[in-house]
Amino acid sequence: MTELIAVVTITLLAVISPGPDFAMVSRNSLLLSRRAGVVTACGIGAGVLIHVSYTLIGVGVVIQQSLWLFTLLKMIGAAYLIYLGVSMLRNAGAARVSGGTPPTAANDFAALKTGFLTNALNPKTTIFVVSLFMQVVNPQTSLAVQIGYGLFIALAHILWFSAVALLFSAPGINARLLRLRKGIDRVFGGLLIAFGALLAIAGMR
């Protein structure tokens, strides 16, 4: 029971902490649509499952102990975040609300891919998941229970970021903030570039 409480508590604290995932979900739900925000949240949950999967099969230990491999992951993640940030700055204000336009499979896939890559390439999530399973979860805990923990972590991400999407796409909030959409893209673009730059600096060190 103590282990379960620790996993739940640490997961919830990690999920609600601001980062690239929050930036992408809030931006997509605000400037694109509620559906885009929720789909992005689902992509984030899928990204979490990647971290959980390689941790459970033991690759997480290799990543944790291999400085060059972890540095490489940091640099790849940093490059992707900077790419997203630069794209937002270049297209600032170009986003349009879907309104009554029916969502397309291509748009859903783009949102899902963005959420997935933002999380899967985030080394902070690597650190969180690997550390949680290596330091909090008992080695004697059954594989079924550990898989259950992993599914809970992914579900917690989906539910939290779906709630964020619902908040930012609420009509009252959305209508006010959409007037500032060019500035919003610039702010979120700048934040992603800053996140990426910090990761790159940490990787070089």
Side-chain angles (χ1 to χ4, degrees):
M1 181 61 71
T2 301
E3 180 182 275
L4 175 61
I5 294 174
V7 169
V8 171
T9 303
I10 294 172
T11 297
L12 294 180
L13 291 175
V15 169
I16 65 176
S17 62
D21 293 339
F22 181 88
M24 287 310 306
V25 171
S26 53
R27 185 265 179 188
N28 283 353
S29 57
L30 176 62
L31 299 184
L32 298 179
S33 67
R34 173 172 294 181
R35 181 187 179 98
V38 172
V39 173
T40 303
C42 292
I44 290 170
V48 171
L49 290 178
I50 295 297
H51 296 290
V52 171
S53 297
Y54 66 64
T55 298
L56 290 180
I57 64 176
V59 177
V61 178
V62 176
I63 294 174
Q64 189 179 45
Q65 296 180 351
S66 176
L67 180 60
W68 73 268
L69 180 56
F70 188 59
T71 299
L72 177 62
L73 291 176
K74 277 187 176 181
M75 301 307 290
I76 293 174
Y80 180 68
L81 291 179
I82 292 173
Y83 162 76
L84 285 179
V86 171
S87 296
M88 284 187 192
L89 293 180
R90 291 180 62 184
N91 300 309
R96 293 291 183 271
V97 181
S98 61
T101 304
T104 66
N107 291 338
D108 285 348
F109 178 75
L112 187 70
K113 181 181 73 173
T114 297
F116 175 77
L117 291 177
T118 300
N119 186 275
L121 296 177
N122 188 352
K124 288 189 176 180
T125 309
T126 300
I127 295 173
F128 160 63
V129 174
V130 173
S131 298
L132 184 67
F133 278 89
M134 296 298 107
Q135 300 177 24
V136 177
V137 178
N138 194 304
Q140 280 70 51
T141 299
S142 69
L143 179 60
V145 172
Q146 293 191 45
I147 291 174
Y149 289 158
L151 293 175
F152 166 75
I153 295 170
L155 182 61
H157 278 77
I158 293 173
L159 292 178
W160 167 251
F161 289 113
S162 291
V164 171
L166 295 177
L167 172 64
F168 278 88
S169 60
I173 296 175
N174 190 271
R176 293 192 186 98
L177 293 180
L178 273 180
R179 302 168 192 164
L180 307 171
R181 63 171 174 258
K182 183 178 290 187
I184 290 169
D185 253 347
R186 288 174 176 169
V187 169
F188 284 129
L191 285 174
L192 289 176
I193 291 174
F195 284 134
L198 289 174
L199 282 178
I201 292 171
M204 289 185 288
R205 287 179 179 176

